[in-house]
Amino acid sequence: MTTLQKGDKAPNFSGKDQDGTTHTLADYAGKKLVVFFYPKANTPGCTAEACDLRDNYARFEAQNYALLGVSADSAKAQSSFKNKYEFPFPLLADEDKSVIQAFGVWGPKKFMGKEYDGIHRTTFVINEEGIIEEVITDVKTKAHAAQILR
């Protein structure tokens, strides 16, 4: 699982969002960036998490944060998810898992007694210089904004 820690340089990622627009770490220089990884679009926990971030978006903007959601869903699934809930932030469709693996959030998981590989719900808070300020692995889906904007 993730070996990235507070104080590490964030991976220089590049990924396409729901509209095919490329996003890289360099695009967010001078801003604080919240990169939140979630297992699957339109599932209850992921929806609760993304909606909580959406509902607090003005607070993030006021503090110079940009938000970027990432899962291995297709661009079509990400677009549907974003439009359905009117998210004001892009969602990367990381089908090849290059961003997911760069951040180290892919690995073995257990659900209902079965073990499988999947995305671990993890959020990285990256400062204006591209340094990781915080890694949140115990994400509270219904109160995630409060975990970030303490």
Side-chain angles (χ1 to χ4, degrees):
M1 276 316 305
T2 187
T3 54
L4 292 172
Q5 297 173 347
K6 180 178 177 170
D8 288 349
K9 183 137 183 53
N12 191 12
F13 67 87
S14 176
K16 290 192 186 311
D17 70 13
Q18 72 287 337
D19 299 322
T21 304
T22 300
H23 295 262
T24 67
L25 181 61
D27 294 338
Y28 296 94
K31 272 195 168 293
K32 293 180 239 178
L33 177 61
V34 174
V35 182
F36 66 100
F37 291 89
Y38 56 94
K40 189 150 183 56
N42 276 308
T43 55
C46 299
T47 301
E49 176 183 11
C51 286
D52 179 59
L53 296 174
R54 175 202 64 201
D55 295 346
N56 288 279
Y57 191 68
R59 292 174 57 206
F60 283 105
E61 279 194 313
Q63 294 183 42
N64 197 34
Y65 280 98
L67 277 71
L68 197 53
V70 185
S71 76
D73 290 297
S74 68
K76 185 177 178 200
Q78 295 290 50
S79 182
S80 161
F81 189 38
K82 183 180 188 332
N83 294 335
K84 182 176 180 181
Y85 295 101
E86 300 177 356
F87 298 136
F89 42 80
L91 302 175
L92 295 188
D94 193 26
E95 291 182 276
D96 69 357
K97 301 179 188 68
S98 61
V99 179
I100 291 162
Q101 287 173 338
F103 279 86
V105 296
W106 182 263
K109 296 173 73 166
K110 270 199 172 106
F111 183 68
M112 294 174 71
K114 293 199 186 318
E115 196 166 301
Y116 61 97
D117 281 344
I119 298 171
H120 288 255
R121 188 184 308 279
T122 309
T123 297
F124 295 84
V125 181
I126 301 165
N127 73 14
E128 296 87 342
E129 287 81 47
I131 304 299
I132 296 171
E133 280 189 345
E134 192 172 5
V135 179
I136 303 169
T137 54
D138 183 23
V139 172
K140 309 273 184 271
T141 58
K142 292 184 171 90
H144 196 34
Q147 286 182 289
I148 300 164
L149 297 169
R150 281 182 263 153

